[in-house]
Structure formats: structure tokens, C-alpha cells
Amino acid sequence: MLARKAEYMQESRENYSIAVNKINGMHHQFSKMVLRTLFLGVLLGGFLLGYVHLTAVQSNFNHELVQEGEKIQQLQQENDSLRIDIAKLESPERIYTIATSQLGMLMPTHVLYAQSKTYHAATKSR
């Protein structure tokens, strides 16, 4: 009976060692799985943060683009308005009115044309 108990103890120790080895192996596999899961989670989180950042940058860029378009439109309207003002200021009627009413100028009754002496002398020698 003692022999059987000794054998039984031996088998029990071997079974215990096998069980401990299995548990250690499973613990090692579990640790690997946890590390892989954490790595994938961090990687996925990084991609998501990158995507959110790029979306925010794109949104900001689109907002600035719209603002610049509005500025361009406003400046074009202002430019058109200034061209109209220039056309009004350059009109011959306006110039005539200012010349006669504010500056006291009169329209000439007849126009005299004069020639320079060098031109007149050159035509006589021909």
C-alpha cells in the first residue's frame, strides 16, 4: 500500500508539473494576446486621432477658402464701384461744368492755330 501511495504521489507530482506547465503556457499565451490587443488598440486610436486631425485641418482650410472667396467678391464689387466713380469724374460734362461754374472759364469763340518759327522757315525754303 505504501508503494502504491508513493507511486500515486509520484504521478500526482508529475500531473501537477504538467498542469503548472500548461497554466504557465496559457498565461504566456494570454499575455501575448493582451499585448497584441493593446497594440492594435493603440494603433487604431492613433489612426482615429490622425483622421480627426486631418478632418479638422480640412474643415479649417475650407472655412478659410470661403472667407477668401467672400473677400475677393467684396473687392471686385468695390473695384466696380470705383470704376463707375472714375467714369463719372472723367465725364466731359462734369469737367465743363466745373470749369465754367467754379473756375470761371469760358468756351472759346474761335480757335487760333500757330506754327513754330522753325517749321515756318522750313516751308519757305522749299
Side-chain angles (χ1 to χ4, degrees):
M1 203 165 238
L2 285 176
R4 279 188 174 174
K5 285 186 180 182
E7 266 180 40
Y8 178 71
M9 294 292 279
Q10 182 76 18
E11 284 180 23
S12 177
R13 284 186 189 149
E14 288 175 4
N15 287 340
Y16 177 76
S17 296
I18 292 171
V20 167
N21 287 339
K22 281 184 181 181
I23 290 173
N24 285 340
M26 290 172 64
H27 179 70
H28 183 69
Q29 286 177 349
F30 180 75
S31 297
K32 280 178 142 179
M33 188 171 32
V34 167
L35 287 175
R36 285 180 186 164
T37 305
L38 286 175
F39 176 74
L40 289 175
V42 169
L43 190 63
L44 181 63
F47 281 130
L48 287 175
L49 285 175
Y51 176 75
V52 168
H53 175 71
L54 289 176
T55 304
V57 167
Q58 182 184 13
S59 176
N60 189 26
F61 179 74
N62 287 340
H63 180 69
E64 289 176 6
L65 188 63
V66 167
Q67 284 182 337
E68 292 299 320
E70 289 172 356
K71 284 181 185 177
I72 288 171
Q73 188 177 16
Q74 179 186 4
L75 290 174
Q76 285 176 342
Q77 288 174 351
E78 186 178 337
N79 195 13
D80 292 342
S81 174
L82 290 174
R83 286 179 192 216
I84 291 171
D85 289 346
I86 289 171
K88 287 178 183 176
L89 292 172
E90 288 179 340
S91 71
E93 295 84 20
R94 181 184 170 280
I95 294 172
Y96 177 78
T97 304
I98 291 174
T100 55
S101 65
Q102 293 179 5
L103 300 176
M105 298 177 137
L106 298 173
M107 194 71 161
T109 55
H110 61 282
V111 180
L112 298 174
Y113 293 99
Q115 295 177 349
S116 68
K117 291 180 184 178
T118 57
Y119 178 74
H120 187 61
T123 57
K124 281 187 179 180
S125 64
R126 282 187 185 183

